[in-house]
Amino acid sequence: MSMKVFRGEILHFIEDPALNSQEEIEQTSHQYFEDGILLIENGKVKQLGSAELLLEQLDDDIEITHIENGLIVPGFIDTHIHYPQTEMIGSYGEQLLQWLENYTFPVEKQFSDKNYALKVSEFFLNQLLTNGTTTALVFGSVHPESVEAFFETALNKNLRMIAGKVMMDINAPDYLTDTAQSSYDESKTLIEKWHGKGRLQYAVTPRFAPTSSNEQLSFAGKLLKEHPGVYLHTHLSENLKEIEWVKSLHPDCENYLDVYNKHQLLSERSVFAHGIHLCDKEYRALSESGSALAFCPSSNMFLGSGLFKLDLAQQHQIKVGLGTDVGAGTSFSILETLKDAYKTQQLRGKKLDSFQSFYLATLGGARALDLEGTVGNFKSGCEADFIVLDYHATDLMKMRIKQCRTLSEKLFSLMILGDDRAIRSTYIQGELAKIN
Ligand code: GUN
Ligand code: ZN
């Protein structure tokens, strides 16, 4: 039996701060220990509490890791990212449809080569750990080899990752399309091999409505029905031209989401990226089905897609997680993504406070991925994936933090000024995995 003890400033969320009134936020949405102890047994959280209380219960000879000038929080959760797009991050000057054609598709072509995919997987997963992201929902490419390579690499690192092979049988270059039947067969083989192996899970991944035939979408629904517990991961209502295109391809459907709904793709394990330009009916269908939206502010600004309406998603009680959406997103960092999230909401005349932000980055992400109780906070029994945030990561942050009086102010300075430099270390199931 392996026991590990960490002592320092610790924060985690147990509820969504958006559900509380301003006064209640301090008491009920999170637990915060200025001098806390996180006790880990066999990679899972055994106990969290104040040092004053917990130290008494520990054996005198137990080794304690002390964390100073830092904050221990659960590992960040990225609910939408494309690993084959790592190399083309920050490609200039297009909106969604031209960006896909000119930059994305040519880069994804290379992932038919498994050795190439292994190299990029290794780099990509190291980027996640460097940025404090310990769980992600990840697009592969259309090639099953890309997902084989990704899962092999993630398994070696003992990471909790969800990924899937892109299904794409129309409106894309020949070199990047499958068929409805081959996408079903290949996805099924991958599910049987990888779903539930280690901490890996599979997501059925039709790219988006324009690149899947009705036949392929119905095969996606069949895969979900045949393999309970598997996820659905796709894009939804990101760009106005895309939405017009979907309308012209599916004149029988009431709205964009309806295309997916017709094929029974909405459930508690469905994650739709973007959802910027939704109508009321779509919000209600997402809410009623327990589906989640991935809020990708960096990508949404980079491709000029629009501003996500976080308040409307919250009013409809839709689960929301954060997505970097690399390579349309311009950073792997969830802290930088929060900075962009804050700014996008400011542009809409709305606020995004720091408690809500750190909730979205941790427990909110876990809920969006239907993983509450597994990751996302330090409740007893959760897998002990956590990070140490460094208040003193840069000279500027060191200066700024001296002026912060409250926890809320300290968190805000981390998300506005922080990036990978503010992630001092990343732990996977209690083991040090990355030190920056
Ligand atoms: N819609 C369809 N494919 C993609 C993609 O790769 N990135 C983004 N941002 N949107 C998409
Ligand atoms: Zn995307």
Side-chain angles (χ1 to χ4, degrees):
M1 194 164 67
S2 123
M3 287 277 257
K4 291 199 186 296
V5 186
F6 294 84
R7 179 174 181 177
E9 192 181 344
I10 307 176
L11 169 73
H12 77 150
F13 285 82
I14 48 177
E15 203 30 272
D16 181 352
L19 301 177
N20 301 108
S21 69
Q22 201 61 36
E23 307 81 64
E24 284 170 335
I25 286 174
E26 292 287 330
Q27 281 104 49
T28 57
S29 72
H30 64 268
Q31 292 180 317
Y32 172 67
F33 302 94
E34 217 171 323
D35 183 12
I37 292 268
L38 181 63
L39 188 60
I40 295 164
E41 189 179 273
N42 296 331
K44 293 194 171 166
V45 176
K46 187 166 165 65
Q47 221 174 343
L48 171 70
S50 72
E52 201 181 358
L53 279 178
L54 288 193
L55 280 176
E56 283 177 10
Q57 302 173 20
L58 297 175
D59 292 343
D60 289 343
D61 58 349
I62 199 158
E63 194 185 320
I64 299 179
T65 305
H66 288 257
I67 305 293
E68 275 159 30
N69 287 321
L71 175 67
I72 298 173
V73 296
F76 291 147
I77 296 180
D78 189 335
T79 63
H80 179 66
I81 185 164
H82 300 251
Y83 103 81
Q85 295 174 15
T86 303
E87 297 155 278
M88 46 78 73
I89 189 169
S91 295
Y92 177 76
E94 308 284 8
Q95 291 218 348
L96 177 64
L97 301 177
Q98 284 69 41
W99 175 84
L100 284 172
E101 211 169 294
N102 295 340
Y103 300 116
T104 315
F105 292 156
V107 163
E108 290 193 6
K109 184 180 177 191
Q110 305 168 92
F111 287 76
S112 59
D113 175 351
K114 186 165 169 202
N115 282 330
Y116 191 79
L118 279 167
K119 274 190 201 125
V120 179
S121 294
E122 180 68 26
F123 183 87
F124 172 89
L125 287 168
N126 282 329
Q127 281 296 302
L128 290 191
L129 294 177
T130 298
N131 283 281
T133 298
T134 51
T135 286
L137 174 58
V138 182
F139 257 68
S141 72
V142 74
H143 319 94
E145 295 84 353
S146 74
V147 178
E148 288 281 349
F150 180 80
F151 278 147
E152 272 177 39
T153 314
L155 188 68
N156 272 335
K157 295 179 189 293
N158 185 31
L159 299 177
R160 180 162 284 286
M161 290 285 149
I162 311 169
K165 170 207 124 63
V166 166
M167 302 168 80
M168 174 156 74
D169 65 339
I170 55 170
N171 295 322
D174 287 346
Y175 62 76
L176 220 55
T177 46
D178 50 17
T179 67
Q181 187 64 50
S182 72
S183 73
Y184 171 81
D185 295 341
E186 289 168 357
S187 301
K188 195 172 179 61
T189 303
L190 288 166
I191 291 168
E192 283 163 1
K193 179 164 177 193
W194 291 104
H195 185 69
K197 190 177 266 190
R199 297 203 289 158
L200 306 174
Q201 290 172 292
Y202 195 84
V204 172
T205 310
R207 180 167 216 121
F208 66 156
T211 50
S212 284
S213 62
N214 274 316
E215 191 191 1
Q216 184 167 64
L217 292 175
S218 82
F219 269 127
K222 187 167 148 69
L223 285 165
L224 296 180
K225 205 174 266 170
E226 289 170 351
H227 304 278
V230 157
Y231 291 82
L232 183 281
H233 185 198
T234 190
H235 296 91
L236 170 70
S237 205
E238 175 179 6
N239 169 288
L240 293 174
K241 289 212 169 93
E242 168 208 14
I243 295 166
E244 282 309 307
W245 193 16
V246 172
K247 253 189 210 159
S248 72
L249 292 168
H250 296 273
D252 55 315
C253 287
E254 243 183 289
N255 51 54
Y256 193 154
L257 186 65
D258 203 24
V259 179
Y260 299 135
N261 209 357
K262 280 224 157 97
H263 297 284
Q264 277 132 44
L265 302 185
L266 277 62
S267 81
E268 284 92 17
R269 291 226 156 174
S270 301
V271 181
F272 296 94
H274 307 289
I276 300 171
H277 311 282
L278 299 173
C279 66
D280 197 54
K281 271 197 172 160
E282 290 173 300
Y283 283 116
R284 277 189 274 131
L286 289 167
S287 177
E288 282 159 19
S289 59
S291 302
L293 286 171
F295 172 20
C296 309
S298 164
S299 161
N300 294 346
M301 289 195 288
F302 184 71
L303 291 180
S305 304
L307 305 175
F308 181 71
K309 301 176 184 81
L310 179 61
D311 51 325
L312 289 192
Q314 287 169 335
Q315 279 164 29
H316 285 88
Q317 298 184 0
I318 296 166
K319 297 181 294 185
V320 176
L322 290 166
T324 58
D325 195 23
V326 165
T330 53
S331 169
F332 280 84
S333 165
I334 289 288
L335 290 176
E336 291 208 279
T337 305
L338 284 174
K339 172 179 65 185
D340 286 342
Y342 177 79
K343 291 178 180 175
T344 60
Q345 298 314 293
Q346 280 280 55
L347 285 170
R348 300 185 56 250
K350 309 285 176 191
K351 295 276 188 282
L352 173 59
D353 70 47
S354 45
F355 286 111
Q356 180 64 30
S357 299
F358 277 77
Y359 164 79
L360 288 174
T362 55
L363 182 60
R367 286 179 171 177
L369 300 184
D370 199 25
L371 288 177
E372 185 173 12
T374 302
V375 290
N377 66 15
F378 295 137
K379 280 204 173 163
S380 159
C382 277
E383 295 166 355
D385 293 347
F386 64 93
I387 58 180
V388 179
L389 294 167
D390 187 352
Y391 291 124
H392 293 171
T394 65
D395 289 344
L396 182 62
M397 289 175 75
K398 208 167 169 176
M399 180 182 255
R400 179 69 185 89
I401 203 76
K402 285 192 193 132
Q403 303 300 317
C404 295
R405 296 284 161 260
T406 62
L407 174 61
S408 168
E409 286 177 7
K410 282 163 59 165
L411 294 174
F412 196 63
S413 81
L414 280 167
M415 68 187 243
I416 299 301
L417 301 175
D419 50 33
D420 56 338
R421 293 168 296 178
I423 312 296
R424 190 187 300 159
S425 44
T426 302
Y427 290 81
I428 297 300
Q429 294 216 272
E431 303 287 340
L432 183 62
K434 195 89 195 174
I435 190 153
N436 283 346

